[in-house]
Amino acid sequence: MTETPVETRDRRVMFFTLWTFASLNFIYADVVTLFDKTVVTNISQGTLLAFAVLVETAFAMVLLSRILKYRANRWANIIVGAVNTVAVIASLLVTTPALYYLFFATIEIATTLLIIWYAWTWPNPARTL
């Protein structure tokens, strides 16, 4: 059995940690939004499903970042990180965001951009052996 290079193990732990952090921020931003009386309550089932799928991608990355092989892991982090970044930015453009939401969105965008950067700069472990 071949040993996984330290760099690969460290990146997997970093992705796991960042996706966990991002997911907790996504969840808590949604929880705080439930207390905001100014948020429209007539959201369609389709919209809620879209939000659920989006958040599930972050949850899935907590697991996938630990088990996917290098290439799939790298691209999954780049793609899912980009999709989540764009979604949060788009949510800021729909209406004037509340201060609490702007705070969470800033953290979420910074975290997903960091995920993309870590994935983009992740050297191929096969080339470093």
Side-chain angles (χ1 to χ4, degrees), residues 15-32:
F15 290 132
F16 173 86
T17 304
L18 288 169
W19 279 115
T20 301
F21 179 74
S23 295
L24 289 170
N25 274 278
F26 294 146
I27 293 168
Y28 202 69
D30 291 343
V31 168
V32 172

